């Protein structure tokens, strides 16, 4: 089969336009929407043309189904590990202060990666001081982290929704000499983040391995076209992943590479 790859370059209007252009040349489209609600008209056009759609990390009843992670439970697991870190720091959990670096507001992936973590914090009476969007941009994350360090005299833990924003923010914390004060948790399992865990400058991430998951984001739509996968009978395709800590980071780095 022929694979066509395009991007909205972080702009939802450009992404909608790119999607609409694909309707003239594709039988099935696998899309990671910046905001799934912006695609209602485009998904309707796809249905009219007989083009099948699989959505990644968001949900729409206009598509065949979703390829993604159990984002909520994944972030809840990271949140539980963060609670263990906060307990190990000593003191009362009710005195702990946490900041978040999020992605795109309104994106399903973003909301669920916040939700599970926030639930773990709520259950343990830990305060989230702030949660600023970065649009998944590392340079924006750097600015936001610099603002956090200026605004708040005391931060116990940073949770970033993706290594692409967490890792640059970690460098800001290190450069400010506050890495002994602020624990750092993330999601994605990039080689840089795993190495940072080995080096002791980050505390955890969640291995998703884009090389590995990207394979399934192409394979499953292909199998839909050959009749070997059916979302209606088999349900959404949930990609596996697991938390990376200092205890397993060396092995996970080998996998990520």
């Amino acid at each position: 089969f022929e694979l066509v790859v395009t991007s909205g370059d972080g702009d939802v209007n450009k992404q909608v336009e790119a999607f609409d252009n694909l309707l003239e040349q594709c039988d099935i489209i696998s899309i990671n929407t910046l905001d799934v609600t912006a695609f209602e008209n485009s998904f309707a056009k796809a249905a009219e043309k007989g083009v099948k759609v699989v959505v990644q990390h968001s949900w729409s009843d206009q598509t065949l189904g979703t390829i993604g992670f159990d984002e909520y439970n994944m972030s809840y697991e990271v949140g539980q590990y963060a609670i263990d870190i906060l307990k190990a720091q000593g003191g009362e959990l009710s005195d702990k202060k946490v900041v978040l670096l999020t992605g795109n507001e309104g994106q399903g992936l973003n909301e669920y990666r916040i939700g599970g973590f926030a639930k773990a914090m709520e259950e343990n009476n830990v305060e989230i001081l702030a949660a600023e969007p970065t649009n998944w941009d590392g340079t924006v994350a750097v600015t936001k982290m610099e603002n956090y360090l200026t605004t708040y005299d005391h931060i116990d833990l940073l949770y970033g929704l993706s290594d692409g924003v967490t890792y640059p923010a970690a460098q800001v914390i290190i450069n400010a000499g506050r890495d002994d004060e602020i624990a750092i948790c993330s999601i994605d399992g990039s080689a840089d983040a795993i190495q940072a865990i080995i080096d002791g400058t980050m505390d955890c991430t969640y291995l998703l391995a884009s090389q590995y998951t990207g394979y399934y984001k192409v394979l499953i739509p292909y199998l839909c076209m050959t009749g070997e996968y059916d979302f209606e009978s088999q349900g959404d395709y949930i990609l596996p992943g697991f938390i990376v800590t200092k205890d397993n980071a060396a092995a996970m780095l080998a996998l990520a590479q």
Side-chain angles (χ1 to χ4, degrees):
F1 65 95
E2 180 183 357
L3 174 65
V4 179
V5 181
T6 188
S7 172
D9 297 321
D11 184 319
V12 69
N13 294 317
K14 290 182 180 179
Q15 193 182 39
V16 168
E17 181 181 357
F19 179 93
D20 290 347
N21 289 337
L22 290 177
L23 294 177
E24 305 301 324
Q25 54 182 313
C26 294
D27 299 294
I28 188 165
I29 299 173
S30 176
I31 179 169
N32 186 4
T33 59
L34 291 166
D35 180 357
V36 71
T37 62
F39 283 81
E40 290 183 4
N41 290 336
S42 293
F43 289 164
K45 291 178 189 176
E48 290 174 5
K49 291 180 175 291
V51 177
K52 301 178 187 299
V53 179
V54 174
V55 68
Q56 303 169 19
H57 306 298
S58 294
W59 287 263
S60 169
D61 57 12
Q62 294 177 280
T63 66
L64 291 180
T66 295
I67 299 171
F69 304 100
D70 188 343
E71 303 282 357
Y72 187 91
N73 284 321
M74 179 172 66
S75 67
Y76 182 74
E77 185 178 348
V78 173
Q80 289 178 309
Y81 189 78
I83 292 298
D84 289 341
I85 293 172
L86 294 173
K87 287 179 178 177
Q89 291 175 344
E92 297 294 328
L93 287 177
S94 58
D95 295 329
K96 300 298 183 181
K97 311 295 182 184
V98 175
V99 295
L100 274 59
L101 291 173
T102 68
N104 279 330
E105 293 182 330
Q107 189 178 15
L109 178 152
N110 184 73
E111 300 309 311
Y112 283 102
R113 287 191 183 184
I114 294 172
F117 185 90
K119 179 65 174 177
M121 298 302 107
E122 179 185 355
E123 289 175 346
N124 291 276
N125 200 28
V126 173
E127 181 181 359
I128 295 177
L129 289 173
E132 289 287 331
T134 65
N135 298 321
W136 308 113
D137 187 326
T139 57
V140 174
V142 165
T143 300
K144 299 282 188 179
M145 193 68 235
E146 289 172 342
N147 291 341
Y148 281 161
L149 295 181
T150 301
T151 303
Y152 303 110
D153 293 331
H154 182 74
I155 299 171
D156 295 289
L157 186 139
L158 162 68
Y159 167 52
L161 270 59
S162 169
D163 291 343
V165 298
T166 314
Y167 182 77
Q171 308 314 302
V172 174
I173 294 171
I174 292 167
N175 292 340
R178 295 179 66 176
D179 46 310
D180 288 339
E181 167 197 343
I182 304 173
I184 302 171
C185 295
S186 188
I187 286 179
D188 275 348
S190 69
D192 284 344
I194 298 173
Q195 185 62 57
I197 293 170
I198 294 172
D199 295 340
T201 55
M202 286 180 57
D203 292 272
C204 78
T205 187
Y206 202 94
L207 186 71
L208 306 179
S210 58
Q211 312 93 308
Y212 165 74
T213 60
Y215 172 77
Y216 286 99
K217 290 171 183 176
V218 176
L219 176 66
I220 298 304
Y222 168 72
L223 294 181
C224 286
M225 298 304 298
T226 63
E228 297 172 74
Y229 194 90
D230 178 54
F231 278 97
E232 187 172 350
S233 62
Q234 293 174 258
D236 291 337
Y237 191 86
I238 304 302
L239 296 156
F242 46 90
I243 199 161
V244 181
T245 71
K246 61 182 179 181
D247 295 328
N248 63 2
M252 295 307 99
L253 182 60
L255 179 59
Q257 292 173 333

